């Protein structure tokens, strides 16, 4: 009895592993990893940016009615919360779609109603995933901008001896963070510049933005992988519909031939009688 239980348990595990949509599972893990990396590191990088702006560039928060750089940073944080929640749900939906499509394909392609519904759902997810793919491409391009800006600042700080004689200034007006009338800049020879370069905020924020960029790139790769998986599932389900129609027509013709053969046999038997 114990051996039978282990054998049944092993067969059940093999059966469960056989119906797993491994491609969708891999894409979901990659998507969750990329979104978590982007949202977590992006949130902390935005907080570090706000600290740098307030401590070294003396940027103050404007009144509530005014949209300044610090308010925009707060808005981006809330956007990150929404992105994390939305793609957590979207990953679950794609996994469920992968399970249903894989089950329909493995059960001789399921019945016609299931495969037709699966084809419509797969087509809808393909369109939606393509839109999210374009969105994540835009997010990746947008995230590369602060990486480039912080890389320039970090490079200047790492080569302070080289630029010691030059009078280089980091002006926020060049990046559109403040209005033209506000002068918020830090020059290489000032005390604030050396304090900023020696602080942990600059180095940490730069590397956090790099990690956020890597997370956005991972999400793009996950979207591409999802597109391949969904396209393959849609093609399989479409072939399943054709196969089911062919089987229905074939069985119908065989039944008609059987009926004709039975009718002729009865006619011959009656004639003989």
């Amino acid at each position: 009895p114990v051996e039978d239980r282990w054998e049944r348990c092993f067969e059940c595990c093999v059966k469960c592993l056989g119906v797993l949509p491994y491609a969708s599972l891999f894409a979901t893990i990659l998507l969750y990893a990329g979104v978590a990396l982007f949202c977590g590191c992006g949130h902390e990088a935005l907080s570090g940016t706000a600290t740098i702006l307030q401590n070294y560039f003396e940027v103050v928060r404007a009144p509530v009615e005014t949209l300044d750089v610090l308010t925009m940073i707060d808005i981006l944080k809330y956007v990150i919360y929404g992105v994390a929640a939305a793609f957590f749900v979207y990953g679950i939906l794609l996994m469920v779609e992968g399970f249903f499509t894989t089950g329909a394909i493995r059960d001789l392609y399921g019945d016609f109603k299931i495969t037709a519904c699966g084809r419509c759902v797969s087509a809808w997810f393909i369109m939606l995933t393509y839109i999210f793919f374009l969105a994540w491409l835009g997010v990746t391009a947008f995230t590369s901008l602060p990486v480039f800006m912080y890389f320039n600042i970090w490079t200047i700080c790492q080569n302070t001896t080289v630029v010691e004689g030059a009078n280089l200034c980091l002006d926020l007006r060049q990046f559109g963070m403040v209005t033209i009338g506000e002068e918020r800049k830090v020059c290489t020879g000032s005390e604030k510049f050396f304090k900023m370069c020696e602080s942990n905020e600059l180095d940490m924020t730069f590397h956090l933005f790099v990690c956020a960029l890597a997370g956005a790139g991972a999400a793009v790769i996950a979207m591409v992988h999802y597109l391949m998986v969904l396209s393959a599932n849609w093609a399989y389900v479409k072939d399943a519909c054709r196969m089911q129609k062919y089987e229905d027509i074939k069985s119908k013709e065989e039944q008609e031939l059987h009926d004709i053969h039975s009718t002729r046999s009865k006619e011959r038997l009656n004639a003989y009688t």
Side-chain angles (χ1 to χ4, degrees), residues 7 10 50 52 57 71 100 113 120 127 140 173 187 198 203 205 217 226 261:
E7 185 177 354
F10 178 75
I52 291 174
F57 289 91
T71 305
F100 276 110
K113 293 181 180 178
C120 295
M127 180 185 68
T140 304
R173 292 176 294 184
C187 298
E198 293 175 356
D203 187 69
T205 304
Y226 268 131
H261 181 71

Side-chain angles (χ1 to χ4, degrees), residues 141-204:
F142 179 76
T143 310
S144 64
L145 296 178
V147 172
F148 177 73
M149 293 165 54
Y150 273 101
F151 176 75
N152 290 334
I153 299 174
W154 185 76
T155 303
I156 295 175
C157 289
Q158 295 298 317
N159 299 277
T160 52
T161 57
V162 178
V163 298
E164 188 175 355
N167 187 19
L168 303 178
C169 294
L170 302 172
D171 197 339
L172 296 183
R173 292 176 294 184
Q174 297 175 341
F175 305 108
M177 294 184 178
V178 295
T179 60
I180 300 297
E182 299 181 71
E183 184 176 348
R184 295 288 186 271
K185 63 181 180 179
V186 175
C187 298
T188 53
S190 63
E191 183 181 356
K192 289 184 179 180
F193 176 79
F194 290 109
K195 286 184 177 180
M196 182 181 66
C197 291
E198 293 175 356
S199 65
N200 294 326
E201 288 89 354
L202 180 64
D203 187 69
M204 183 62 69

Side-chain angles (χ1 to χ4, degrees), residues 218-229:
V220 171
I221 297 174
M223 290 293 105
V224 173
H225 198 83
Y226 268 131
L227 283 174
M228 293 188 294
V229 171

Side-chain angles (χ1 to χ4, degrees), residues 129-142:
T129 304
Y130 184 74
I131 294 174
F132 284 146
F133 165 70
L134 296 178
W136 274 109
L137 277 180
V139 170
T140 304
F142 179 76

Side-chain angles (χ1 to χ4, degrees), residues 17 41 69 138 198-199 219 230:
L17 291 175
C41 295
V69 61
E198 293 175 356
S199 65
L230 291 170

